[in-house]
Amino acid sequence: MAENHRSEKKLNVLNWILYTVLVSIPTVWFTVIVPYFGGILKLTKVVNDQVQFTIIGVILTILITIILLVIMYHKSKHQAKSQITDLEDEVSYLRSITNNVDRICDEKYLQLQRSIVEIKEKNVDPPKIISNPNHQLSSILVAITSCIVELMKTPDLSFSFKDFYVTLTYNFPLENGDWSWTDGITEKYMTLEELLSDNAKSTFNYLRKSKKPYYFNNKKEEAKREDRYVYNPQDELNSENGEPVGSIFCYNYKIKKGTKIYIDAMLSISTQRKRFAPEDDEQIKNARDNLVSLVKDYFGKRIEIELSLLYLEYLKNTSAQTYT
């Protein structure tokens, strides 16, 4: 192995020396050989007091130029292949890290799920949660927003952090019917009671009743016409002013065993005056697929872990209150 490394290093040095010598030939040719030895070597001749290339000089100059271009082309091609190989290696390395992190998250989530089932079905005492899952969920929402800013960016469309409003609401169906925002979420325009009331034509209610995992619409206007979104006051104002109302995307997380749902949660991502994507079917489809992949494949398991911890924390606090 060490011998191969030394041989490869020696070969790289020889290639570098050879390349340096070859690319130096044109400089030597035009600054030394042609000016000082052109006449002697029959490369140039004097015509009407002007120095001109002879046929031999022209042919040799063209050959040297072609050789140099070929060398530079192959050098650039080799560098490009080397860079692609390095990028592929880096991607493979990062993918390996991601896969291992995901595997760890899967194991942690399954363990938490088993703990919840044991507590609810076998009356096992809930563990004490020393982390702050509500705070962790808020941090995840911030991370999702940062990713979306980069994910949705195109040469013709740019976003900032404030362009997206990302929220997460949850409830514990076996405990009560109350829905809550995660910490740090403020009710900007409408309350949860308004969004989740039986007659509300909100996206949350649409997902609850349709049992679909997510809803995406690049135009809130279309979502409203389909009774899958309800305008808030800012949406109403944008519509009245003839401005784009925005886009809406919601994803439903359910932590359950069989038909028994322990945790129900809704992630919402919306914009005001801006669309997720330009009015192009392919770009809209890419925006939808990217959002689903982001909240399901990349952050989904982490959200479910913190929701599970939040539920265990709730069960522990409720248990403690029962015995006081």
Side-chain angles (χ1 to χ4, degrees), residues 4 9 11 68 90 113 122 186 188 234 265 270 278 316:
N4 290 338
K9 186 176 180 181
L11 182 61
L68 177 63
E90 184 176 353
Q113 191 180 47
K122 300 180 182 179
T186 57
K188 287 184 71 173
Q234 183 61 53
S270 64
K316 182 64 176 179

Side-chain angles (χ1 to χ4, degrees), residues 56-316:
I56 296 175
V58 170
I59 293 172
L60 289 176
T61 301
I62 292 173
L63 284 174
I64 289 172
T65 303
I66 291 173
I67 291 171
L68 177 63
L69 290 174
V70 170
I71 291 171
M72 293 181 68
Y73 168 76
H74 283 286
K75 179 67 175 179
S76 299
K77 189 176 180 181
H78 174 75
Q79 288 178 335
K81 285 184 177 179
S82 178
Q83 290 173 350
I84 290 173
T85 301
D86 291 342
L87 287 173
E88 289 175 344
D89 290 343
E90 184 176 353
V91 168
S92 177
Y93 173 68
L94 293 174
R95 186 182 293 114
S96 175
I97 292 176
T98 301
N99 290 339
N100 279 286
V101 171
D102 288 342
R103 179 179 55 79
I104 293 170
C105 287
D106 287 341
E107 292 175 358
K108 183 175 183 180
Y109 170 69
L110 290 173
Q111 179 57 49
L112 290 171
Q113 191 180 47
R114 284 193 291 268
S115 297
I116 290 172
V117 172
E118 288 180 354
I119 292 167
K120 296 303 295 181
E121 297 186 0
K122 300 180 182 179
N123 293 321
V124 175
D125 288 338
K128 180 177 177 59
I129 305 302
I130 60 174
S131 63
N132 188 338
N134 229 322
H135 177 74
Q136 293 299 321
L137 285 168
S138 297
S139 298
I140 289 174
L141 297 187
V142 172
I144 288 175
T145 307
S146 298
C147 290
I148 297 172
V149 170
E150 295 300 320
L151 190 67
M152 296 298 185
K153 184 170 59 177
T154 67
D156 302 321
L157 189 64
S158 62
F159 292 97
S160 64
F161 194 91
K162 65 181 180 180
D163 287 326
F164 297 97
Y165 185 52
V166 183
T167 64
L168 182 68
T169 185
Y170 63 91
N171 89 327
F172 307 135
L174 297 183
E175 313 306 322
N176 53 55
D178 296 335
W179 285 79
S180 302
W181 299 110
T182 53
D183 283 354
I185 301 298
T186 57
E187 296 175 335
K188 287 184 71 173
Y189 304 111
M190 302 181 72
T191 65
L192 279 175
E193 288 74 16
E194 291 175 301
L195 292 171
L196 295 166
S197 63
D198 291 337
N199 60 346
K201 298 176 181 179
S202 64
T203 309
F204 284 171
N205 267 353
Y206 169 71
L207 289 180
R208 290 171 65 197
K209 294 173 182 178
S210 68
K211 308 298 182 182
K212 292 183 178 180
Y214 71 88
Y215 176 74
F216 170 95
N217 204 313
N218 200 50
K219 289 185 176 181
K220 286 181 179 178
E221 299 93 323
E222 290 182 357
K224 183 176 184 295
R225 284 195 296 269
E226 296 170 354
D227 291 335
R228 299 176 182 181
Y229 182 78
V230 56
Y231 276 1
N232 60 47
Q234 183 61 53
D235 294 328
E236 294 281 2
L237 183 60
N238 294 340
S239 180
E240 291 172 4
N241 291 337
E243 298 175 316
V245 180
S247 302
I248 181 67
F249 171 75
C250 285
Y251 192 90
N252 184 209
Y253 299 95
K254 291 186 187 296
I255 297 173
K256 61 182 183 177
K257 181 182 180 184
T259 58
K260 189 175 293 185
I261 300 173
Y262 299 102
I263 306 166
D264 200 1
M266 299 279 187
L267 176 74
S268 172
I269 301 172
S270 64
T271 61
Q272 296 284 346
R273 298 190 186 90
K274 283 188 175 183
R275 310 286 194 200
F276 288 144
E279 293 306 308
D280 176 84
D281 290 343
E282 187 63 30
Q283 292 189 62
I284 291 173
K285 180 181 180 298
N286 287 339
R288 181 199 65 197
D289 293 346
N290 286 336
L291 282 175
V292 172
S293 179
L294 183 71
V295 304
K296 177 186 176 184
D297 301 328
Y298 292 99
F299 286 99
K301 199 62 65 181
R302 290 155 181 79
I303 288 175
E304 289 172 334
I305 286 172
E306 297 304 329
L307 285 171
S308 299
L309 289 170
L310 190 63
Y311 185 41
L312 289 172
E313 183 181 66
Y314 172 87
L315 292 176
K316 182 64 176 179

